Amino acid sequence: MTTLDKKLDRRSFLKVSALAGGGMVLSFSWLAGCKPTTEEELLAMPKEWFELNSYIKIGENGVVTLYSSSPEFGQNVKTSMPMILAEELDVDWKKVIVEQGNFDSQRFQRQSAGGSQSIRQGWTPLRTAGATARAMLVGAAAQIWNVPASEITTSAGILEHKGSGKKAHYGEMASLATAIEVPENPKLKDITDFKIIGNSKKNVEAEKIVTGKPLFGIDYKVEGMKYAAIVHPPAFGMKVKSFDASYVLGMSGIQEVFTINIFNENYVRTFFDVATFPELLVVVGNSTWEVFQAKKNLKVEWENAPESSFTMTGFGGRNPYKVTVPEGLESSANHREKMAEYTQKPGNVVRRDGDPEGAFKKAAKVLEKTYTAPFLAHNTMEPANFFAHVTAEKAELYGPTQWPEPMSAALADRLGIPKENIKINLARMGGGFGLRAYGHHLLEAALISQKIAAPVKMVYTREDEMTYGIYRPTYSATYRAALDENNNLLALHVKAGGVPESPLHANRFPAGAIDNYLAEAWEIPSNITVGAFRAPRSNFMAAAEQSFLDELAEVMEKDPIAFRLELLKRAETNPVGENNDYDAKRYAGVLELVRDKSNWNTPAAGVHRGVSAYFCHNSYVAEVVDTKIVDSKPVVEKVYAAVDCGIVVNPDSATNMGEGAIVDGIGNAFFGELAFENGVATKTNFDKYRMIRHKEAPKKIEVYFVDSKEDPTGLGEPFFPPVFAAVANSLYKATGKRYYEQPFAPQLEMQNLKM
Amino acid sequence: MAIFNLNINGKSQQVDVDPNTPMLWVLRDHLDLVGTKFGCGIAQCGACTIHLDGNAVRSCQLPVSSAQDSQITTIEGLSETGDHPVQKAWMEHDVPQCGYCQAGQIMTAAALLQQNPNPSEEEIENAMNGNICRCGTYTRIKAAVITASQNL
Ligand code: FES
Ligand code: FES
């Protein structure tokens, strides 16, 4: 990871200035904040920009452009990251224009949307970038006014020296400021002085979104551009044998049909180079509709793919390892059988505290339950697509990607073009949820463009998108608790695995709270590809663990919240083992907050409530779900969420994200499922793959943030994992049945409830 | 291929396409009106919603040949300056996350309010149920439709 200093030093500054050029043309962007109401407020664009560092440039009239460098997929970093810059720069938010920074690893730090990291990783660098620029403006004013810099104050883009009565706006000092030495350690604001951070700002792209402006990769078009569609094998475990394009080439608007190979023979893949099908068929033509029609009519013979393998490296090119792709056409029924077998066999021990085996031998009572969940498709609303224009010397790409950096290496290798001649421009994404961290679609578009020697936009159909792979894996977890005759908890044992990976986090709660603890993991290889899906692994482990703790509390005759708090007290005051990766006090804090905000002990009449809490991405979330049965239909009435994610930059937008994750969780808990028969995904579009819809969303969601002075932690993911168990636990109260298998809808239907 | 005369957002437009081409792709690829979105192509998600003589329809299932004699409105033509009460309410409630579904949501909501300026919550839920929002902004969508209905 490159450090901030590199991004702000004089050399990179000069480079940026050169890149930007004197009269850099700016596509006029929607002004941040409220719509200007008066003519005067309609900002005239400056005649000249002065770039103070990679993230900030100031016009001579005081208008400020802030670059948002992270990819935007609905987490609203395009508003909240510039808010951090604006805070330390100390500007008037109404004078801010936000521009998307395109992928440029020399210029920007960590351009990635994933792991709920944008704000966490951006926090100090962005504050520093803002403070640095502010210090340079102060330095310029000190020189011109001939007063000590320490006597100059700033406020909302105005510099002032009280002693001499001198005042100027940033624009007036911007030119000279570029010549001021970049300060080493600019002073950051005291967080109690924040004016922008913590005060909700509207989405800077809201007006463009509601008026249908072209913002997404799929909206892109250039003169002479061709359209392309891909055809991938109909089943995991199959590959292309041969094809006959003669009929399709006679169809209207169709230009070419060919195959592409995604990687070079000996290419060492990174973690994000998942290409489920290394060889694809491509149809190129004059419009999206025509290539979609043609692909349906393409005659292809498929054959079973033999076992294969490739080399992959971990983060940063470390620890290369061999990945074997097994042969065979897999079915969900077999997955289930195999998973059931593995739950009976010993797994790999990933954590052991005390003497769990001994404790189970002594137990008067053992509670054992197994939880499962199916594969899930991400189903981003915008299907995969990318624009590419590849020539002999260079490549230019534009479209949806959560993580361009690893793809620039893959593109360079495959296209035979040096990295520095490959430009990846970032479009707003119509959803990502982890899926768009994997960049096969960039390679596909680039290879097509290279082959046809023309600019091209490749677009997936919904069916392509849903059946291509990179799913949330299917998982299983078995929990066992040993109790003595007085219902005291003696030991806990968890054994969890999946196809093809285990979801287990060895050092998560309740590890650390129980003297005798055993955690085991197992894995079943598969040729169905998987990838990050909103809070990977946590999204299942939370469901299993928090459902089990609920049932355990009942057996122990304890209130579910009080029971969790007891365990957390133990972990806080006298933790078992080492490396427990959570802060028990903050964990307890969100449970207490949700208990109080929901009036836990006095639910409304007819309401059945369940609770759940989880820690991931360094944040703590507790949720209470209120369910009602209305006309034989389970209805989620209301959800309360309490969150500790440190300082909240943009509260209303953070709330929106929380609401969305909760709705997402309810939807997947009830309906989310992708199954396979002989390698074929049994659902290919939204007619079969049931998504949560308007009517099924809760009537109300209340989100409460713990008032915190801690640096921000993750937000986009942590709301999601606890939802599943909170729903299951509230359904238990409503129906008297526990729900061990996701999705819940089929079981509810078997109980004669309507879904 | 055949020539079709269309009336879109109050403007006459001519396209030369296969008669089966869905309006969605005529708008997006041939007329550069890309606000109308492709989500599923089978009338299941609502991302492609436009108005056909004031009714919300799924443009992915509307062949250009049957759109000839109608007034078509897309998100780009819903208002001149983005100040339709539904658009304003959407901004007031800061509804969008990724934003991809929102043009379709807004077009569905605008058609509902045109026909029923004072919908009940249940009527809103019924009207909006065909539009999927993968980001889960449903609670804000409902609040925004209510606000819009008050500001018509
Ligand atoms: S694209 Fe038309 S309804 Fe989904
Ligand atoms: S805002 Fe992303 S799909 Fe609705």
Side-chain angles (χ1 to χ4, degrees), chain B residues 24 37-49 58-61:
Chain B
L24 169 65
K37 292 292 187 272
F38 166 54
C40 66
I42 58 164
Q44 290 292 319
C45 76
C48 65
T49 306
R58 308 293 185 233
S59 66
C60 67
Q61 293 297 301

Side-chain angles (χ1 to χ4, degrees), chain A residues 432-452:
Chain A
F433 310 100
L435 179 64
R436 295 280 179 260
Y438 305 89
H440 58 92
H441 54 306
L442 281 81
L443 279 166
E444 289 155 20
L447 288 169
I448 299 168
S449 172
Q450 191 175 46
K451 169 103 188 182
I452 65 169

